[in-house]
Structure formats: C-alpha cells, structure tokens
C-alpha cells in the first residue's frame, strides 16, 4: 500500500539523530520549558524571519492564544474559511469570539477575498487566513485589506512550514502566525506541538504567560486565566533535529507534485491552480478534484493507493457550527470542493516508482470511465 505518510521509511540517519535528541533530554533531567524549547524557538523564529517565537502545545492553542493576546474575545467577530481543519474555527470559539465563515476560490480552495469583504461588519476584529495545503497567495492583497479595514491578520500556518511569498515566510505577514507540529505536518513532532511566531513583543509576552496557566515572571503568581499549553523539551529536541531535514523534504514534496502535474491526465479529474512561484507552495497535500470522488477513492484503494479527503465536511456543516454567520452569498464553493476533493499521497519518503504507480492508478480510472481521449 502506498500510504499518505510513511514515517517508518524515514532515513536511518534521521532516526539516529532523534534518538540522540531523546537521550540528551532524558539525561538533562529537565522536561518542560527548558533550553531545548528556547533553542527551537530561536531556530523557528529565524526560519520565519520573526523576532519572536513561542512554543505551545499544539496549533489550535496557538491560534486561540494569539487571538486572546490581541484582545479578541466575546463580542468580536473573526472571519475565516469554511474549508479548513476544524481546529481553526474551534480555536476562535475557544477564544470566546464569534467565527464568521467565508467562501473559497474554487481553483485553489483558499479563502476568497471577495467573500471576506462581504463578511466584514462593525464587529469584525480579525481574519484567520489559512495557507491551505501549503499554498500562499496574494499576501499583498490580504495585508492591504487588513490595513484598510483595521483588522488583525492572523495566519494559520499549520500546513505551510517553509513557504515563502515574495521572500517572506508564512507567519511573518500578519500580527502573528500559528504553526502546528502535529506528526503529519511538513515539520512534525513525535506527538503534539505548536508555535506562535510574531514581530510583536507584546503578543509574544502574553502568549508566554497564557501557555503556562497565565503565570507571569513570578512563579505561582497568576495574572490571568491561562491554559496549560506548552511545547515539551522532548518534542522541541526532536523538532530541532527534524528541522535540519525540512529543506530536503520540501524539495522532495515539490518533485512529487511536479511529477503529478506532468503525469495526471485531466479529464475526469482536475488539478488545483499551479503556484505563481514554487517557493510559495510547500505541497503539504496534493489535492485533486473529481466529480465521482468516492468511486475514484475506491478505485485507488483497490490498486494499493491510500488517499484522504481534506475535508469532507466544510465547517459550516459541522454540527456545532451550523448556525454560524457566513457570507450572505452562501458557501457553495466550499461545499462543492468538499464533495469533490481528494488528497493523493505526497510525502518525502515516496519513491519514483510509487509516484508512477499513483499516476497510473489515477489515469486508469479515467481510461476505465471512457472520458480519456488520448491515453498517456
Ligand atoms: C493541523 C491543523 C491545525 C491544528 O493543529 P493541531 O496541532 O492539531 O492543533 C489548525 N489548522 C490547520 C489548517 C491544520 O492543518
């Protein structure tokens, strides 16, 4: 089976580096909020070109704490996309704010700026922009809109580790960027982890307190109602090692995506728009669309290709979110995308042979269903 992820096939050298990182932490006798976290925070801030980075428990908490640090809470509206991981919207709800759901651009599945404009009210305080599937686009337009409307731009970078738009990293455009290091992300821990990156010292200071029960400089003195959301030493040490491999792994993801673009026959299936610039897409997921998606998925599974759907149910159709405010024009594009999208395997351990097998399996579906005019 060609899997969506194949951690067991990672290089032996990486495994040894992670083992020595684990040993280092064990022998240090210090497991929470120590020098491994500080070192990895410095490394990740430097990677993102921001002045601050604060390690937290996961990507969802990173968004919640960023909103809270910005003073966004009850009574405030936060606009985001209906086509995202549920965690994006859950974080807004956890911050006590009101999510407002906007529609997507059909050719990229990214948040539509026109739809967002229709969602803005006098209560709108922030936009959570999700760099879905690893794509960054139109950052100049987003920063301009937020500046003009006095809205805080928060970037959900959980799928965009290493992405650059015009030379600037994901997370460095907005007031803050939220990263997840969930194992399947482009930079993943061996458990949960997250990070808030920002150029705003006040946001960083607040998140430092919030992640640790709202405790300030003085131990056991709590100035606010915080969370327990810390990146632990073991995960930080492992992430420092894995970070060394990120550039090489990203190159590999781009190679796979390029091979898919060149090899997949577009008749029954369609591809998302190509990135304007390779650097602005880290190919976290390679997503295609197909009207008979479920049949295609079964066809691929029968040929040894695992696939997943990101995401089968848009946020506005999730039970706790059905009453949320949304674009007055509706969210039909997010819905159509949810009904037709399919993520093909695209991970750094894939071999050239596996890439070809995936391409052949997808193309055989088109041939079988008779719509492929010229066989490839
Ligand atoms: C994974 C993900 C999150 C949540 O990250 P966790 O670390 O699992 O909490 C948020 N937003 C997006 C777009 C994600 O892909």
């Amino acid at each position: 089976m060609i899997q969506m992820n194949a951690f067991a096939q990672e290089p032996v050298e990486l495994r040894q580096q992670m083992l020595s990182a684990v040993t280092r932490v064990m022998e240090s006798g210090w497991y929470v909020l120590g020098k491994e976290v500080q070192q990895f925070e410095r490394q990740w801030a430097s990677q993102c070109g921001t002045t601050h980075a604060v390690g937290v428990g996961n990507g969802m908490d990173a968004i919640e704490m960023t909103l809270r640090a910005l003073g966004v809470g009850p009574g405030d509206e936060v606009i985001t996309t209906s086509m995202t991981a549920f965690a994006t919207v859950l974080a807004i709800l956890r911050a006590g704010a009101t999510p407002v759901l906007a529609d997507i651009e059909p050719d990229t599945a990214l948040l539509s700026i026109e739809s967002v404009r229709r969602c803005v009210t006098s209560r709108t305080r922030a936009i959570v922009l999700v760099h879905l599937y690893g794509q960054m686009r139109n950052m100049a337009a987003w920063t301009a809109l937020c500046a003009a409307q006095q809205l805080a731009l928060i970037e959900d970078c959980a799928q965009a580790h290493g992405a650059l738009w015009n030379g600037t990293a994901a997370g460095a455009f907005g007031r803050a960027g939220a990263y997840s290091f969930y194992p399947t992300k482009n930079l993943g821990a061996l458990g949960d982890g997250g990070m808030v990156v920002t150029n705003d010292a006040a946001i960083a200071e607040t998140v430092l307190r919030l992640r640790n029960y709202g405790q300030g400089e003085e131990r056991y003195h709590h100035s606010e109602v915080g969370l327990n959301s810390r990146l632990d030493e073991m995960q930080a040490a492992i992430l420092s090692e894995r970070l060394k491999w990120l550039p090489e792994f990203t190159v590999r993801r781009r190679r796979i995506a390029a091979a898919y673009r060149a090899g997949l026959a577009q008749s029954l299936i369609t591809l998302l728009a190509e990135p304007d610039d390779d650097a602005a897409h880290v190919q976290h997921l390679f997503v295609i669309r197909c009207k008979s998606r479920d049949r295609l998925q079964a066809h691929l599974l029968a040929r040894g290709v695992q696939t997943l759907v990101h995401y089968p149910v848009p946020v506005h159709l999730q039970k706790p979110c059905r009453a949320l405010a949304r674009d007055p024009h509706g969210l039909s594009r997010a819905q159509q995308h949810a009904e037709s999208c399919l993520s093909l395997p695209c991970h750094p351990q894939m071999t050239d042979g596996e890439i070809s097998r995936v391409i052949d399996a997808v193309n055989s579906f088109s041939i079988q269903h008779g719509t492929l005019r010229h066989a490839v």
Side-chain angles (χ1 to χ4, degrees):
M1 179 73 71
I2 302 173
Q3 307 271 355
M4 287 297 287
N5 286 289
F7 300 119
Q9 275 134 50
E10 285 182 344
V12 177
E13 198 186 339
L14 169 56
R15 179 176 293 224
Q16 274 156 358
Q17 289 164 346
M18 291 195 288
L19 280 171
S20 60
V22 168
T23 307
R24 188 167 81 224
V25 173
M26 274 176 64
E27 288 175 351
S28 78
W30 193 280
Y31 306 130
V32 172
L33 296 186
K35 61 181 199 298
E36 294 287 347
V37 169
Q38 279 174 11
Q39 180 190 306
F40 181 60
E41 285 172 343
R42 281 194 297 272
Q43 288 171 338
W44 196 247
S46 144
Q47 161 92 24
C48 296
T50 57
T51 51
H52 301 82
V54 183
V56 299
N58 54 69
M60 184 177 85
D61 289 355
I63 300 171
E64 175 188 336
M65 289 189 279
T66 297
L67 288 165
R68 289 181 57 180
L70 284 163
V72 177
D76 297 328
E77 291 178 357
V78 177
I79 301 171
T80 195
T81 168
S82 190
M83 183 44 60
T84 184
F86 192 65
T88 309
V89 175
L90 188 49
I92 298 169
L93 290 167
R94 298 279 315 171
T98 304
V100 176
L101 299 172
D103 211 357
I104 58 169
E105 293 294 344
D107 59 339
T108 59
L110 293 172
L111 192 59
S112 151
I113 203 160
E114 285 72 37
S115 177
V116 167
R117 283 205 186 92
R118 290 192 290 269
C119 292
V120 173
T121 73
S122 58
R123 291 177 300 282
T124 309
R125 292 283 313 281
I127 295 173
V128 177
L129 182 66
V130 182
H131 302 308
L132 195 72
Y133 307 149
Q135 319 168 81
M136 289 180 84
R137 276 185 191 263
N138 299 333
M139 293 310 295
W142 287 110
T143 50
L145 174 73
C146 288
Q149 309 255 14
Q150 294 185 304
L151 305 174
L153 179 63
I154 297 162
E155 298 174 70
D156 180 341
C157 309
Q159 303 188 355
H161 310 73
L164 297 172
W165 190 88
N166 240 345
T168 299
F173 287 89
R175 296 293 301 279
Y179 279 92
S180 163
F181 303 115
Y182 184 81
T184 59
K185 309 297 188 187
N186 284 26
L187 178 61
L190 271 60
D192 279 305
M195 190 83 79
V196 173
V197 297
T198 181
N199 286 314
D200 186 324
I203 293 176
E205 267 168 44
T206 307
V207 175
L208 277 171
R209 280 198 307 275
L210 285 175
R211 74 173 177 184
N212 198 29
Y213 325 120
Q215 175 180 291
E217 296 273 284
E218 205 180 346
R219 205 171 185 183
Y220 307 131
H221 287 70
H222 303 268
S223 53
E224 58 200 304
V225 178
L227 289 77
N228 175 349
S229 185
R230 302 171 296 225
L231 179 64
D232 65 66
E233 289 284 285
M234 201 75 89
Q235 299 303 344
I238 288 167
L239 285 163
S240 288
E241 300 301 330
R242 296 185 67 83
L243 177 56
K244 297 172 189 160
W245 292 76
L246 180 62
E248 184 180 329
F249 282 2
T250 303
V251 166
R252 185 68 192 154
R253 286 176 187 275
R254 290 190 181 127
R255 283 275 313 275
I256 298 165
Y260 282 161
R261 285 198 169 277
L264 292 173
Q266 293 194 63
S267 50
L268 269 194
I269 66 139
T270 53
L271 306 180
L272 298 186
E274 257 185 274
D276 302 329
D277 167 10
D278 267 354
H281 198 333
V282 290
Q283 309 291 346
H284 172 59
L285 292 168
F286 191 90
V287 175
I288 62 174
R289 283 165 308 178
C290 178
K291 283 214 176 84
S292 23
R293 187 261 317 279
D294 296 347
R295 276 161 61 209
L296 172 59
Q297 187 169 36
H299 175 97
L300 293 178
L301 191 62
R303 280 154 189 80
V305 179
Q306 186 194 25
T307 56
L308 285 173
V309 175
H310 300 91
Y311 296 91
V313 183
V315 173
H316 66 281
L317 297 180
Q318 302 283 357
K319 199 174 170 196
C321 296
R322 287 183 196 148
L324 287 182
R326 61 196 62 180
D327 181 343
H329 290 195
L331 301 168
S332 59
R333 285 164 165 181
Q335 211 152 318
Q336 281 156 19
H337 187 78
E339 286 160 11
S340 62
C341 65
L342 188 68
S343 308
L344 302 180
C346 181
H347 64 76
Q349 274 60 59
M350 276 182 89
T351 63
D352 290 348
E354 288 175 326
I355 299 168
S356 302
R357 276 170 55 202
V358 174
I359 293 171
D360 292 346
V362 176
N363 287 345
S364 71
F365 180 78
S366 300
I367 291 166
Q368 218 168 32
H369 291 80
T371 54
L372 192 59
R373 275 171 213 105
H374 37 253
V376 279

